[in-house]
Amino acid sequence: MITCTLTYEIDPNQVDAFEAYGRVWIGLVNRFGGTHHGYWLPHEGANDIAYAKFSFPSLTAYEAYRIASMDDADCQKAFAFAQRTGCIRRYDRSFTRPVLDALPIEALEDLA
């Protein structure tokens, strides 16, 4: 599994527009076979930083989603909405792999 983490710099006057954009992308990512983990919007602290995370089974599956999204009418409408409202100033994308299961403390002895 590969998880994409997006860090957005958003227009603090367009948080409602960005939230609508994010809610649309939750459905779009899920429709393309990903698992969206949600958006995190400003609350305390910086008022122009937001986050999103979503996963795909592999980097190949993620790349297929990216290619397909360029030809998908709904994705293009979402991109156009962000452009029109100016809700996103910039974003950074990084990829990680999740660690979701626990190990017993004794497992550390085998790794030392």
Side-chain angles (χ1 to χ4, degrees), residues 31-80:
R31 188 178 89 201
F32 279 97
T35 301
H36 210 294
H37 307 295
Y39 281 79
W40 286 262
L41 304 178
H43 182 68
E44 292 289 329
N47 67 351
D48 63 347
I49 302 297
Y51 304 94
K53 285 185 180 279
F54 57 90
S55 299
F56 277 86
S58 66
L59 188 56
T60 301
Y62 169 79
E63 290 170 350
Y65 146 76
R66 288 285 308 232
I67 291 167
S69 71
M70 295 302 158
D71 291 327
D72 184 83
D74 292 338
C75 293
Q76 292 307 306
K77 286 179 187 174
F79 290 137

Side-chain angles (χ1 to χ4, degrees), residues 8-12 15 42 45-50 89:
Y8 292 94
E9 179 183 329
I10 63 173
D11 181 340
V15 173
N47 67 351
D48 63 347
I49 302 297
R89 293 181 174 160

Side-chain angles (χ1 to χ4, degrees), residues 3-10 15 18-19 21-23 25-26 36-54 87-88 90-94:
T3 299
C4 179
T5 300
L6 291 158
T7 302
Y8 292 94
E9 179 183 329
I10 63 173
V15 173
F18 180 77
E19 182 175 347
Y21 171 84
R23 288 176 181 269
W25 274 105
I26 290 170
H36 210 294
H37 307 295
Y39 281 79
W40 286 262
L41 304 178
H43 182 68
E44 292 289 329
N47 67 351
D48 63 347
I49 302 297
Y51 304 94
K53 285 185 180 279
F54 57 90
C87 63
I88 300 171
R90 61 181 293 282
Y91 64 91
D92 294 314
R93 182 183 303 127
S94 63

